[in-house]
Amino acid sequence: RKEVEQDPGPFNVPEGATVAFNCTYSNSASQSFFWYRQDCRKEPKLLMSVYSSGNEDGRFTAQLNRASQYISLLIRDSKLSDSATYLCVPSTGTASKLTFGTGTRLQVTL
Amino acid sequence: DAGITQSPRHKVTETGTPVTLRCHQTENHRYMYWYRQDPGHGLRLIHYSYGVKDTDKGEVSDGYSVSRSKTEDFLLTLESATSSQTSVYFCAIRQVDAYEQYFGPGTRLTVT
């Protein structure tokens, strides 16, 4: 089983749509969780940290279910600029070792 | 944006030659990391550092060594480059009291 599993997509959605990404992780010792976005041939950029109670940042909402080892990201009112690959990233240990999957690709169209 | 630079940004080298990649930060963060990214794989940790002269291996450390003689610089060395080390290399930094990592712009390395 992969350590981080995400639907690779692509998810093709029109501008203004709401889209949700799901992610499962296998290491129950994971302590912190993040969503990064990565544009083609660029570095990953931190989108948001994910807290146990769930958290919202503008159009983005993240949820964490530790019992099911499941993380989600909801994007409302999609913009063309949201087109990217979204990476669900758990971290483990005091050194905060991040575990990356291959991500979910989102393409927002006119 | 986090103050992280990587050099060189692009490099083409021949099999068997030594290569050193540099990561430089202006944030004075204690933790620094080296990752590689390949098609079909997520980023994978090569080595990391938790302070000057303090380093440890990641999941794909074979063929790589690192050094950190100053807080601001973390060097990744391929002693004898192989074609399997063709990849994009990212450096990341982290504060000691937080878990978020911030990435540099990457180095594209091609070994022919």
Side-chain angles (χ1 to χ4, degrees):
Chain A
R1 181 185 172 187
K2 290 183 179 179
E3 292 191 71
V4 175
E5 297 208 51
Q6 294 181 253
D7 182 338
F11 284 52
N12 294 300
V13 303
E15 258 196 316
T18 296
V19 61
F21 304 138
N22 302 318
C23 164
T24 57
Y25 61 95
S26 63
N27 188 347
S28 58
S30 297
Q31 301 155 304
S32 301
F33 305 87
F34 309 99
W35 282 99
Y36 283 80
R37 67 168 282 166
Q38 186 173 26
D39 295 288
C40 188
R41 301 173 74 84
K42 299 282 192 175
E43 73 272 24
K45 292 194 174 179
L46 181 67
L47 181 65
M48 57 196 304
S49 304
V50 187
Y51 304 120
S52 295
S53 58
N55 48 298
E56 187 174 313
D57 183 359
R59 298 181 294 110
F60 300 88
T61 300
Q63 296 283 346
L64 167 64
N65 184 324
R66 287 185 186 269
S68 301
Q69 296 182 198
Y70 169 93
I71 309 165
S72 66
L73 177 69
L74 183 77
I75 305 176
R76 290 180 296 278
D77 189 22
S78 297
K79 312 289 185 194
L80 291 174
S81 58
D82 293 334
S83 298
T85 296
Y86 288 82
L87 305 168
C88 158
V89 186
S91 94
T92 309
T94 53
S96 185
K97 295 183 183 179
L98 302 183
T99 302
F100 287 85
T102 51
T104 298
R105 194 156 74 86
L106 172 66
Q107 183 67 49
V108 182
T109 57
L110 287 171
Chain B
D1 286 347
I4 315 170
T5 57
Q6 292 185 232
S7 58
R9 294 293 313 280
H10 298 86
K11 187 171 182 66
V12 179
T13 192
E14 293 184 350
T15 298
T17 59
V19 177
T20 295
L21 309 182
R22 180 185 184 228
C23 177
H24 178 79
Q25 62 151 328
T26 58
E27 307 294 323
N28 201 36
H29 286 353
R30 178 175 165 187
Y31 285 86
M32 298 184 76
Y33 304 80
W34 276 108
Y35 295 85
R36 60 178 289 173
Q37 185 173 33
D38 305 291
H41 293 273
L43 277 77
R44 291 179 290 175
L45 181 64
I46 304 172
H47 281 279
Y48 67 98
S49 169
Y50 46 96
V52 173
K53 299 193 189 306
D54 292 322
T55 65
D56 205 348
K57 296 179 180 180
E59 63 176 300
V60 290
S61 59
D62 286 349
Y64 302 95
S65 63
V66 289
S67 66
R68 190 162 178 208
S69 59
K70 300 186 287 185
T71 298
E72 58 265 36
D73 289 325
F74 192 29
L75 304 180
L76 178 70
T77 297
L78 291 65
E79 301 290 349
S80 178
T82 67
S83 59
S84 64
Q85 293 176 312
T86 292
S87 188
V88 180
Y89 292 86
F90 290 104
C91 172
I93 62 175
R94 176 174 80 88
Q95 291 177 280
V96 69
D97 56 352
Y99 291 102
E100 294 85 353
Q101 292 182 26
Y102 297 91
F103 287 82
T107 294
R108 293 190 172 274
L109 176 67
T110 302
V111 183
T112 61

